[in-house]
Amino acid sequence: MASLTAGNRRPVRLADIAKAAGVSHGTASNVFSRPEIVREEVRERVKAAAEAMGYGGPDPKGRLLRAGKVNAIGVATAEPLSYFFDDPFARVMMAGISQACDATGAGISLVSAANNEQLAWNIQSALVDGFIVFCIEGGSRLVQLARERKLPFVALDLASEDGSVATIGIDNVAGAAMAARHLTDLGHRRFAVLALQFVDDRTGPVSPEQVQTAVYAGTRDRLTGYFQELSRVGVDTSKVPVYETANDATSTIAALEAIFGAAEPPTAILAMSDRMALVALEWLSARKLNVPNDVSVVGFDGVPEAEVSEPPLTTVAQPIAEIGRLAVRAILENDGTTSRRQLPVELIVRASSAPPRG
């Protein structure tokens, strides 16, 4: 990195080091970038000059920018930075992204912020070759900011009709229908839905009108899948309570308290994420409601924690890590075309679902 010369406080450059050491600019450059081709005596002379002048080496950002590629991928979300580490879905996704980056030698830059202004700055200043956008909250804003950088980007979990946005995701309608069909086949007819957010910054009971104006089409599509299957067996979906949560313990517990405070509570819960379903298992257990004898619970995602919960969680598993790996490949091998990929899901039946009593 450049330091300052003692006389005029001008940053010390590689040319200054070369002059002080009595070598060419190219030889001085090789000492820092390809030292193995420089004689040891010359290497030591250049390093001594650099140390005396406080020069730490060429700025890697400048070298990378001159090459037109930095060999790093930005992973962006409008969630707090802790989301990457706290959320089980995000952890599996990041594992897939990391594996693909390790295989190619690429680096990862996590891009997050507490507000829109800081997020915009972080995306604009990120030194990356492209972005993987986690469309959890603020998805459309993230896509807009990534597009403004004029770098390749791939949106995850974005059920968008905009054909100009490259996406990797799943068929949310089919996956949700799979979960609901499993429960209706068991004989359940009284349901409640723990939903992801339909719009930003809102939780609580959701009306049919609010569903139709959803910002997040993925949430709307999962509810559509649930309701298509419930309607098929004669369930009046207008009477099925749907509670929007922030996919966290606090809002999920508030939803459960409202759902089970009703005169006729459900015998089955459809949760749009495993994270909510796992909270539900703990909450029901604490209230001596047996899963699955009193209430069946089916999640969505297929995170590792679902396999070891008590009881093990029935869930719709999506290939989370594979989505992450494909996203990395799409950035690093970008050919200028827009790809929209949809991967299959799988129903994994475990011990949290059973026929209703009676």
Side-chain angles (χ1 to χ4, degrees):
M1 301 290 181
S3 60
L4 300 175
T5 58
N8 58 11
R9 309 301 291 172
R10 175 179 65 79
V12 176
R13 305 189 185 282
L14 187 60
D16 300 319
I17 304 304
K19 183 177 180 180
V23 300
S24 69
H25 186 282
T27 297
S29 177
N30 285 336
V31 168
F32 293 98
S33 61
R34 302 168 64 197
E36 71 279 358
I37 69 171
V38 182
R39 294 198 318 273
E40 183 177 0
E41 172 202 343
V42 176
R43 284 203 311 267
E44 293 305 318
R45 193 163 76 243
V46 171
K47 287 182 178 179
E51 184 175 355
M53 299 177 74
Y55 181 74
D59 186 342
K61 290 190 293 185
R63 185 170 67 250
L64 290 168
L65 288 173
R66 284 192 296 275
K69 192 174 180 65
V70 298
N71 202 32
I73 289 175
V75 183
T77 179
E79 296 284 331
L81 193 59
S82 58
Y83 166 77
F84 290 112
F85 308 97
D86 294 341
D87 186 88
F89 176 91
R91 287 198 298 267
V92 177
M93 183 72 75
M94 288 305 302
I97 291 171
S98 300
Q99 289 164 5
C101 286
D102 284 344
T104 59
I108 298 174
S109 176
L110 300 182
V111 182
S112 176
N115 57 65
N116 280 337
E117 292 76 17
Q118 189 63 45
L119 181 64
W121 166 254
N122 288 349
I123 288 182
Q124 286 298 325
S125 61
L127 197 64
V128 297
D129 296 314
F131 291 97
I132 296 172
V133 178
F134 272 65
C135 296
I136 308 301
E137 182 175 339
S140 56
R141 173 67 171 153
L142 282 170
V143 168
Q144 176 190 345
L145 291 170
R147 201 195 299 267
E148 289 172 359
R149 272 298 302 270
K150 302 188 185 306
L151 291 173
F153 71 92
V154 176
L156 307 183
D157 196 35
L158 180 68
S160 170
E161 296 177 358
D162 184 350
S164 68
V165 177
T167 63
I168 302 176
I170 60 168
D171 187 336
N172 283 295
V173 175
M178 209 179 281
R181 187 178 311 119
H182 167 65
L183 290 170
T184 57
D185 285 349
L186 289 172
H188 290 278
R189 295 297 183 269
R190 297 207 315 270
F191 293 86
V193 175
L194 295 173
L196 296 169
Q197 288 185 307
F198 291 88
V199 297
D200 292 332
D201 303 320
R202 186 183 72 193
T203 61
V206 179
S207 69
E209 293 74 26
Q210 289 172 322
V211 171
Q212 293 307 312
T213 58
V215 170
Y216 293 110
T219 305
R220 186 185 63 222
D221 286 350
R222 289 188 190 182
L223 189 64
T224 297
Y226 291 152
F227 279 7
Q228 281 180 356
E229 186 58 32
L230 299 188
S231 297
R232 186 184 66 83
V233 297
V235 173
D236 183 352
T237 57
S238 68
K239 296 181 180 178
V240 174
V242 178
Y243 278 80
E244 188 173 18
T245 80
N247 198 29
D248 62 5
T250 300
S251 57
T252 301
I253 288 171
L256 289 165
E257 288 174 346
I259 289 167
F260 285 90
E264 194 173 33
T267 63
I269 294 175
L270 288 159
M272 288 192 190
S273 80
D274 285 349
R275 190 177 192 182
M276 284 187 283
L278 294 171
V279 170
L281 292 183
E282 291 186 5
W283 187 88
L284 292 165
S285 175
R287 280 147 189 81
K288 309 301 181 186
L289 289 169
N290 181 271
V291 177
N293 293 328
D294 295 321
V295 186
S296 286
V297 179
V298 176
F300 202 116
D301 284 335
V303 302
E305 291 85 345
E307 192 173 357
V308 295
S309 61
E310 183 54 47
L313 180 67
T314 296
T315 185
V316 175
Q318 53 178 315
I320 307 171
E322 179 63 12
I323 290 172
R325 288 189 286 267
L326 289 172
V328 171
R329 198 174 307 156
I331 298 298
L332 297 180
E333 300 175 2
N334 177 65
D335 60 2
T337 61
T338 299
S339 171
R340 297 172 67 83
R341 297 194 60 174
Q342 200 169 78
L343 303 184
V345 295
E346 175 189 8
L347 176 69
I348 299 178
V349 178
R350 299 193 180 107
S352 70
S353 54
R357 280 181 172 170

